[in-house]
Amino acid sequence: QVQLVESGGGLVQTGGSLRLSCAASGRTFSSYVMGWFHQAPGKERVFVAAIRWSRSSGGSTYYADSVKGRFTISRDNAKNTVYLQMNSLKPEDTAVYYCAAEHSGDNFYTISDFGSWGQGTQVTVFS
């Protein structure tokens, strides 16, 4: 397992932007699939985005339909950090955002696919 610490959440108006960061411990960060999930009050934690990395193909990204075209996940393996750039934010994006990590694997759309989690960071979008 790795230790994950998120940052960058906050309060933003509809249409605004935020960038979340997730710093990971460990020496083999590049071998981990990194993901972002969010959990709104009273709702389940759901997949937002994920990114894998390989020497041959670089970063491969995956998104929930609700955020495609608005959010961008990226990673800096030299800094052991994954980012979530969130643009055109909507009130329905309001949630606690969690960073997750799993060593390799081909599945990353559900909570059970990840073994390490951060503490979460609150994102609130107001109209």
Side-chain angles (χ1 to χ4, degrees), residues 49 51 59 74 77 97 106-107 124:
I51 185 168
S74 62
N77 290 334
Y97 282 71
D106 296 322
N107 300 310
T124 302

Side-chain angles (χ1 to χ4, degrees), residues 75-96:
R75 64 192 296 161
D76 185 334
N77 290 334
K79 296 182 178 179
N80 281 17
T81 301
V82 63
Y83 305 96
L84 186 68
Q85 178 67 44
M86 305 186 295
N87 299 328
S88 302
L89 283 162
K90 306 175 181 179
E92 52 262 44
D93 295 320
T94 295
V96 177

Side-chain angles (χ1 to χ4, degrees), residues 1-124:
Q1 289 189 342
V2 295
Q3 303 299 314
L4 304 172
V5 179
E6 301 100 332
S7 61
L11 188 65
V12 64
Q13 197 168 13
T14 297
S17 299
L18 282 174
R19 189 176 82 153
L20 306 183
S21 299
C22 173
S25 64
R27 300 179 181 179
T28 59
F29 176 76
S30 62
S31 65
Y32 280 79
V33 178
M34 301 299 298
W36 287 97
F37 286 70
H38 71 197
Q39 186 168 18
K43 296 187 177 181
E44 295 182 348
R45 193 174 300 186
V46 298
F47 172 79
V48 174
I51 185 168
R52 297 194 291 187
W53 186 84
S54 69
R55 290 185 181 274
S56 59
S57 60
S60 299
T61 58
Y62 309 87
Y63 297 95
D65 288 343
S66 60
V67 306
K68 282 181 181 177
R70 299 189 299 123
F71 291 10
T72 302
I73 187 171
S74 62
R75 64 192 296 161
D76 185 334
N77 290 334
K79 296 182 178 179
N80 281 17
T81 301
V82 63
Y83 305 96
L84 186 68
Q85 178 67 44
M86 305 186 295
N87 299 328
S88 302
L89 283 162
K90 306 175 181 179
E92 52 262 44
D93 295 320
T94 295
V96 177
Y97 282 71
Y98 295 91
C99 177
E102 181 60 32
H103 192 266
S104 67
D106 296 322
N107 300 310
F108 36 76
Y109 290 104
T110 68
I111 297 173
S112 60
D113 294 326
F114 289 87
S116 299
W117 293 86
Q119 82 288 351
T121 184
Q122 176 71 46
V123 171
T124 302

